[in-house]
Amino acid sequence: MALAAIAAAMSLAACERSSVPPPAAPAPAAPPTAAPTRAAAAPASVALLEQELAYGETKNRNLVGFLAMPADAAEPLPALIVIHEWWGLNDEMKAVTRRLASEGYVALAVDLFGGATAKTPAQAEKLMTDVFADPEAARVNLRQAYDYLDKYAFAPRIGSIGWSFGGGWSLEAVLQLPDQLDAAVMFYGPLQTDVAKLQSINVPILGLYGALDETIPERDTLAFRALLTSQLHKNAKILIYPKAKHAFASAGADYDPEIAARAWTDTLAFLGENLKRKPAQP
């Protein structure tokens, strides 16, 4: 089935579960005129289909995210749940979602803030605090995103990827879906130290951290790596980039284009190996 047809099926499926009008039919998206500020996120080099998309619902509202995928794919593609930082699902996050789509993925950027975005750290902290006050709602949100990609995008393999606040939730997605997700990427996400929870991980993990991160000190990252690899023997690759600060791949004062480009390359290699691989022959 052509991917354009899959996109149409996804829209119709969302409408069946939702009281909102159907999303507009996806149309090929022109590449951005300016490169996003994230990790090597140059303008998309392939034509994309993109749309605002209702991928789930709560008691009071629809869960509306942003979906992008290659326009010319002839078969189902691996998919990614893309999880935003504490700024919310803003234009920058949509740009990196397009960039992931241009690499051959169905990329669904979820919204954990109910449509709100932040312009200041104080606003962002409030939105983030609200999520932590009701973490189960965020978990249900991510599970619905997975179900959407599984049932309506027909994705053969699904991973998660997030930055900072979203990096922590990328790991949480694995803990919530230990037998469903196929890989997870954490860009400087909060660390989990609960051995009982980490024991359930059975998929590859990629963590990308900075040696100069004042929010997550290098000693804590090293301990996290040792816990996953040496103690629990998980398939985890925790990279620590020298001279990198916390948000080295995000827009802001600590953005480092050289380190961000390296991390982007490491990310694409990891995703390609774990999501694009062909199943082993019996």
Side-chain angles (χ1 to χ4, degrees):
M1 180 186 296
L3 201 57
I6 293 174
M10 292 170 71
S11 296
L12 290 173
C15 297
E16 291 173 358
R17 298 185 302 164
S18 168
S19 60
V20 298
T33 56
T37 54
R38 285 182 179 273
S45 58
V46 301
L48 301 177
L49 299 174
E50 61 180 69
Q51 66 180 122
E52 304 291 331
L53 186 74
Y55 59 90
E57 59 188 2
T58 68
K59 292 181 179 179
N60 302 317
R61 62 179 176 82
N62 291 287
L63 301 175
V64 180
F66 176 77
L67 181 131
M69 53 192 162
D72 61 353
E75 60 185 28
L77 297 173
L80 285 166
I81 300 169
V82 183
I83 312 172
H84 57 76
E85 294 173 297
W86 72 342
W87 305 111
L89 181 50
N90 57 16
D91 289 342
E92 185 191 4
M93 185 54 58
K94 292 177 181 179
V96 81
T97 302
R98 293 186 186 98
R99 179 55 177 160
L100 289 166
S102 75
E103 296 291 342
Y105 298 95
V106 177
L108 173 59
V110 298
D111 184 359
L112 300 184
F113 290 169
T117 57
K119 298 294 185 181
T120 68
Q123 293 172 344
E125 185 172 4
K126 173 62 167 61
L127 292 172
M128 183 175 67
T129 300
D130 289 345
V131 172
F132 290 139
D134 185 12
E136 185 56 29
R139 297 184 184 111
V140 171
N141 188 317
L142 295 175
R143 286 196 292 268
Q144 291 193 67
Y146 174 88
D147 289 342
Y148 202 98
L149 293 170
D150 179 45
K151 295 176 182 178
Y152 303 118
F154 315 113
R157 285 169 293 280
I158 301 173
S160 62
I161 182 171
W163 289 260
S164 195
F165 165 81
W169 281 102
S170 181
L171 179 61
E172 182 64 24
V174 173
L175 300 178
Q176 293 301 309
L177 300 163
D179 299 318
Q180 288 83 39
L181 282 182
D182 296 286
V185 179
M186 307 166 57
F187 273 82
Y188 33 84
L191 305 176
Q192 173 62 258
T193 58
D194 188 322
V195 173
K197 290 183 178 180
L198 295 175
Q199 187 64 58
S200 68
I201 294 175
N202 57 12
V203 302
I205 302 290
L206 175 65
L208 306 162
Y209 292 85
L212 303 183
D213 191 331
E214 295 181 356
T215 304
I216 304 173
E218 183 180 15
R219 65 178 180 274
D220 292 348
T221 307
L222 289 169
F224 178 63
R225 180 166 66 188
L227 176 60
L228 285 176
T229 59
S230 300
Q231 182 175 337
L232 299 177
H233 306 290
K234 300 301 181 181
N235 184 359
K237 187 176 184 180
I238 308 300
L239 303 179
I240 303 174
Y241 300 110
K243 301 181 180 179
K245 296 183 179 180
H246 178 71
F248 62 80
S250 303
D254 292 333
Y255 174 69
D256 187 309
E258 182 177 347
I259 298 172
R262 179 180 172 187
W264 186 257
T265 298
D266 290 336
T267 296
L268 294 182
F270 172 83
L271 293 176
E273 178 182 354
N274 293 288
L275 298 183
K276 290 185 176 181
R277 71 189 190 284
K278 294 182 179 180
Q281 296 297 321

